[in-house]
PDB file of all heavy atoms in Angstrom:
ATOM      1  N   ASN M  52     160.339 -68.983 203.784  1.00 96.00           N
ATOM      2  CA  ASN M  52     159.872 -69.141 202.406  1.00 96.00           C
ATOM      3  C   ASN M  52     161.057 -69.534 201.541  1.00 96.00           C
ATOM      4  O   ASN M  52     161.868 -68.675 201.172  1.00 96.00           O
ATOM      5  CB  ASN M  52     159.238 -67.849 201.887  1.00 96.00           C
ATOM      6  CG  ASN M  52     158.712 -68.008 200.475  1.00 96.00           C
ATOM      7  OD1 ASN M  52     158.601 -69.120 199.956  1.00 96.00           O
ATOM      8  ND2 ASN M  52     158.391 -66.905 199.825  1.00 96.00           N
ATOM      9  N   THR M  82     134.349 -62.651 202.908  1.00 97.00           N
ATOM     10  CA  THR M  82     134.113 -61.207 202.861  1.00 97.00           C
ATOM     11  C   THR M  82     133.476 -60.855 201.519  1.00 97.00           C
ATOM     12  O   THR M  82     133.517 -61.652 200.566  1.00 97.00           O
ATOM     13  CB  THR M  82     135.419 -60.408 203.021  1.00 97.00           C
ATOM     14  OG1 THR M  82     136.143 -60.429 201.779  1.00 97.00           O
ATOM     15  CG2 THR M  82     136.284 -60.994 204.133  1.00 97.00           C
ATOM     16  N   GLU M 102     146.425 -61.211 185.999  1.00 98.00           N
ATOM     17  CA  GLU M 102     147.305 -60.214 186.630  1.00 98.00           C
ATOM     18  C   GLU M 102     148.737 -60.729 186.736  1.00 98.00           C
ATOM     19  O   GLU M 102     149.698 -60.017 186.408  1.00 98.00           O
ATOM     20  CB  GLU M 102     146.764 -59.835 188.003  1.00 98.00           C
ATOM     21  CG  GLU M 102     147.599 -58.824 188.763  1.00 98.00           C
ATOM     22  CD  GLU M 102     148.597 -59.462 189.700  1.00 98.00           C
ATOM     23  OE1 GLU M 102     148.270 -60.502 190.287  1.00 98.00           O
ATOM     24  OE2 GLU M 102     149.712 -58.920 189.829  1.00 98.00           O
ATOM     25  N   HIS M 148     137.394 -54.842 178.484  1.00 97.00           N
ATOM     26  CA  HIS M 148     136.580 -55.446 179.531  1.00 97.00           C
ATOM     27  C   HIS M 148     135.900 -54.382 180.392  1.00 97.00           C
ATOM     28  O   HIS M 148     134.702 -54.468 180.686  1.00 97.00           O
ATOM     29  CB  HIS M 148     137.453 -56.345 180.403  1.00 97.00           C
ATOM     30  CG  HIS M 148     136.715 -57.120 181.444  1.00 97.00           C
ATOM     31  ND1 HIS M 148     135.871 -58.162 181.135  1.00 97.00           N
ATOM     32  CD2 HIS M 148     136.695 -57.004 182.793  1.00 97.00           C
ATOM     33  CE1 HIS M 148     135.352 -58.662 182.247  1.00 97.00           C
ATOM     34  NE2 HIS M 148     135.839 -57.979 183.277  1.00 97.00           N
ATOM     35  N   ARG M 193     137.811 -45.295 190.364  1.00 98.00           N
ATOM     36  CA  ARG M 193     136.759 -45.940 191.161  1.00 98.00           C
ATOM     37  C   ARG M 193     137.341 -46.780 192.280  1.00 98.00           C
ATOM     38  O   ARG M 193     136.837 -46.765 193.411  1.00 98.00           O
ATOM     39  CB  ARG M 193     135.871 -46.808 190.254  1.00 98.00           C
ATOM     40  CG  ARG M 193     134.872 -46.043 189.426  1.00 98.00           C
ATOM     41  CD  ARG M 193     133.850 -46.957 188.799  1.00 98.00           C
ATOM     42  NE  ARG M 193     134.429 -47.839 187.805  1.00 98.00           N
ATOM     43  CZ  ARG M 193     134.593 -47.523 186.517  1.00 98.00           C
ATOM     44  NH1 ARG M 193     134.240 -46.322 186.081  1.00 98.00           N
ATOM     45  NH2 ARG M 193     135.108 -48.392 185.669  1.00 98.00           N
ATOM     46  N   ALA M 214     165.055 -51.012 208.688  1.00 47.00           N
ATOM     47  CA  ALA M 214     166.458 -51.207 208.997  1.00 47.00           C
ATOM     48  C   ALA M 214     167.257 -49.929 208.854  1.00 47.00           C
ATOM     49  O   ALA M 214     168.263 -49.723 209.524  1.00 47.00           O
ATOM     50  CB  ALA M 214     167.035 -52.303 208.096  1.00 47.00           C
TER      51      ALA M 214
END
Side-chain angles (χ1 to χ4, degrees):
N52 182 13
T82 77
E102 179 266 324
H148 185 70
R193 283 192 293 273

